[in-house]
Amino acid sequence: KPLQGGKEFLGQLGVAYELRDVTRDPRALEEFLSLGSPLPPVVLYKGRWVAGYKPDEIEHLLADLLG
């Protein structure tokens, strides 16, 4: 359940996020494919991304946001 874990993790950090479904949103799919990510979920922030549920990498990605 990487997606559920990611949502819960971002919620625990107090990070607002936008959930985009690549199976229902053609623009989200186009953006996802342009990243070159192997598979969803993807946390995208300021042009950088982490694929899958990797809490340490997500925290590093969001370091300036989290302070």
Side-chain angles (χ1 to χ4, degrees), residues 2-22:
L3 177 60
Q4 188 63 32
K7 289 175 13 179
E8 289 175 9
F9 183 67
L10 291 173
Q12 290 170 359
L13 294 176
V15 174
Y17 61 90
E18 176 184 358
L19 181 63
R20 298 179 65 198
D21 186 342
V22 298

Side-chain angles (χ1 to χ4, degrees), residues 9 11-12 19 25 27 31 36-38 40 43 49 53 57 64:
F9 183 67
Q12 290 170 359
L19 181 63
D25 179 347
R27 285 188 171 182
E31 184 176 1
S37 173
V43 175
W49 54 271
Y53 177 55
E57 290 184 33
D64 69 319

Side-chain angles (χ1 to χ4, degrees), residues 17-52:
Y17 61 90
E18 176 184 358
L19 181 63
R20 298 179 65 198
D21 186 342
V22 298
T23 65
R24 297 176 189 223
D25 179 347
R27 285 188 171 182
L29 177 59
E30 184 178 316
E31 184 176 1
F32 169 75
L33 293 174
S34 76
L35 295 173
S37 173
L39 50 102
V42 172
V43 175
L44 175 64
Y45 180 66
K46 292 188 175 182
R48 299 180 349 217
W49 54 271
V50 171

Side-chain angles (χ1 to χ4, degrees), residues 55-66:
D56 292 340
E57 290 184 33
I58 293 170
E59 277 191 277
H60 182 71
L61 176 71
L62 303 175
D64 69 319
L65 176 68
L66 298 173

